[in-house]
Amino acid sequence: MRFLAALLVLFPALALAHGEENPGPHNGHIRMPGAFHTELILGNDQSAHVYLLDMNFGNPTTKNSKIEIYVKNKKNKVAFTCSVMDADHFHCVPEKKYPMKGDLVVKAVRDNAPGNEISYKLPLSAFKTENKTEKDDSNHHHH
């Protein structure tokens, strides 16, 4: 299991084979920072909802878990304040408005298992692989 996690950290293209190109169970964007997945949903108010999911994209938990989030670009770094929401995910509010170009960085610990720092490129893209042209995938559904 550790070997697989190390491979996924070293080879992001392999991570795409593990579901990152598809929406998560809450229709959010998926990353795999370690032996678990994060699912990110950005609100219109720039707040973030983050689910810490198991390896099978299920069982969201906040128990023995924590997250840190910030947005960075060449000029700014904006931190978020995160709190538990409905015991199954974190709700994170930015300290101020941030530009929608840059990286949203998440550092997560799920049930005492720390993950690597991961990044979501802003603006979040439609669900696609890196090699496809950008298009509207609003009719795409998770299988």
Side-chain angles (χ1 to χ4, degrees), residues 11-142:
F11 300 102
L14 286 177
L16 288 175
H18 290 270
E20 289 188 8
E21 73 280 8
N22 295 315
H26 305 95
N27 211 30
H29 293 264
I30 297 287
R31 294 287 184 275
M32 188 176 173
F36 61 93
H37 292 95
T38 60
E39 181 179 11
L40 170 72
I41 302 166
L42 281 183
N44 291 333
D45 61 354
Q46 294 193 322
S47 69
H49 293 268
V50 180
Y51 293 84
L52 302 178
L53 307 170
D54 65 17
M55 293 295 287
N56 297 314
F57 304 99
N59 301 311
T61 188
T62 58
K63 184 179 178 187
N64 299 316
S65 302
K66 66 180 179 175
I67 64 169
E68 298 173 26
I69 297 180
Y70 61 91
V71 170
K72 68 176 181 172
N73 63 21
K74 292 179 183 175
K75 297 180 181 180
N76 299 301
K77 181 176 178 180
V78 178
F80 286 61
T81 301
C82 299
S83 57
V84 172
M85 186 80 129
D86 299 330
D88 72 345
H89 73 284
F90 291 90
H91 180 233
C92 303
V93 178
E95 62 187 14
K96 63 182 182 180
K97 288 268 189 204
Y98 56 86
M100 287 307 293
K101 290 204 177 211
D103 294 300
L104 187 144
V105 179
V106 177
K107 179 101 172 127
V109 174
R110 182 187 189 273
D111 200 15
N112 291 322
N116 295 307
E117 191 173 88
I118 52 170
S119 180
Y120 292 85
K121 187 63 104 180
L122 295 177
L124 294 175
S125 62
F127 293 105
K128 62 180 183 63
T129 61
E130 293 288 323
N131 297 331
K132 290 184 182 177
T133 58
E134 188 142 350
K135 63 180 180 175
D136 182 353
D137 278 343
S138 60
N139 291 328
H140 180 80
H141 298 288
H142 188 66

